[in-house]
Amino acid sequence: MDLKLAGRVAVVTGASKGIGLAITKSLLEEGVKVVAVSRKLSAEFDALAGENLRHAALDLMDPAAPGQAVDLAVEQFGGLDILVNNAGGPPPGTKLPRTSFFDATDEDWRAMFEFNLFAVVRAVRAAVPHMTARGEGSIINISTVLARQPASMNVDYGAAKAALNNLGKVLSEEFGSQGVRVNTVSPGGVLTAWWTEEGGAADRMATMVGADRDAIMDTLAPQMMNMVTDRLVHPQEVADAVLLLASPRSASTTGADWIVDGGFLKSV
């Protein structure tokens, strides 16, 4: 199916690995011109180099960074059609999981909201005028099922993403009549560096429950999350949902929250 994305311009945050890398790669394959935002590079990202890709080495904890990414897209490619607010999770220097409400200080809460909510607010503020000038645009915010299924683990993260979900609904209402669609994609457990890197979630959970890291990722984590597919989600599966929402094939989809969670959420 032709997604009718060729020639469009996108900004993707958190683009050097995991979900963001899969989104960036998939957009490029569809002929989209991409400004990819990340603090660091990766070998997998470097392999995507080409005339339709620009890297913006920005830290989204800097209030100026989201606007700079949008400005680069306009300068390099002449406008902006798609914004994917993918960067999120633990702020730089933070290790998750946290297992109790009392594990997070005021400063931890501020950093979590800065990274997962305020950076998105700033990116949207910069992007919307360019989209409304074109008469259309698609904004996709990457959230989490923890925004809809409260849990004592990573409570500050879940709260920040719940606010993000609310923001997406509000934005879709305000800007829909001007051609700008705003949707949310909420993954469950996704097999990314957050799990796999040394000292990451798999290692930390393995220490908590007395298991090895591979058992956590292959069996125990999906079981603990009651995922009916019995496995963690692949980043490409999230990217596929993002591309469809970015496409004009989804012209009547706005204000939605798409779940890609292996059956974690059971509510109707």
Side-chain angles (χ1 to χ4, degrees):
M1 180 172 65
D2 180 9
L3 293 177
K4 302 183 183 296
L5 288 171
R8 295 175 186 260
V9 180
V11 168
V12 180
T13 65
S16 65
K17 58 185 179 181
I19 295 171
L21 179 68
I23 293 169
T24 300
K25 182 174 184 292
S26 298
L27 287 170
L28 290 170
E29 289 172 349
E30 293 292 328
V32 178
K33 301 170 184 178
V34 181
V35 169
V37 182
S38 66
R39 292 184 304 122
K40 300 176 182 178
L41 294 172
S42 66
E44 294 82 2
F45 180 85
D46 289 341
L48 302 179
E51 62 180 3
N52 284 347
L53 179 64
R54 300 289 186 275
H55 180 248
L58 297 168
D59 183 351
L60 295 174
M61 297 295 280
D62 176 0
Q68 291 170 351
V70 170
D71 288 346
L72 181 61
V74 174
E75 175 189 326
Q76 293 289 310
F77 298 129
L80 182 64
D81 304 290
I82 302 161
L83 171 64
V84 184
N85 289 305
N86 167 71
T94 299
K95 292 290 186 181
L96 296 181
R98 297 186 176 113
T99 58
S100 168
F101 167 78
F102 288 103
D103 289 345
T105 66
D106 281 3
E107 186 52 41
D108 291 329
W109 277 85
R110 291 189 189 98
M112 190 65 73
F113 271 72
E114 185 74 26
F115 193 46
N116 288 277
L117 180 64
F118 297 144
V120 173
V121 168
R122 293 166 185 140
V124 170
R125 187 182 290 139
V128 164
H130 296 288
M131 293 179 173
T132 54
R134 291 191 169 199
E136 63 176 346
S138 178
I139 298 173
I140 302 108
N141 299 323
I142 307 301
S143 184
T144 172
V145 289
L146 293 180
R148 296 175 58 171
Q149 181 60 58
S152 58
M153 182 173 285
N154 304 326
V155 60
D156 52 337
Y157 173 62
K161 290 297 194 181
L164 179 64
N165 285 20
N166 183 281
L167 175 67
K169 291 282 190 181
V170 171
L171 293 171
S172 70
E173 181 74 15
E174 179 169 356
F175 299 111
S177 63
Q178 299 175 65
V180 179
R181 297 181 297 109
V182 184
N183 291 289
T184 302
V185 173
S186 291
V190 183
L191 191 60
T192 64
W194 190 83
W195 287 93
T196 61
E197 67 186 1
E198 185 176 351
D203 286 336
R204 291 166 67 84
M205 291 181 68
T207 299
M208 292 175 191
V209 303
D212 68 76
R213 67 193 317 271
D214 290 336
I216 292 290
M217 291 183 285
D218 294 342
T219 305
L220 294 180
Q223 287 178 352
M224 286 187 285
M225 290 183 279
N226 198 20
M227 298 173 70
V228 299
T229 55
D230 293 325
R231 63 173 178 84
L232 296 175
V233 176
H234 191 280
Q236 186 61 51
E237 294 169 324
V238 182
D240 290 343
V242 170
L243 258 68
L244 186 56
L245 289 171
S247 166
R249 296 278 188 181
S250 297
S252 290
T253 303
T254 190
D257 181 19
W258 281 38
I259 308 300
V260 187
D261 70 344
F264 169 82
L265 282 177
K266 305 298 190 293
S267 59
V268 176

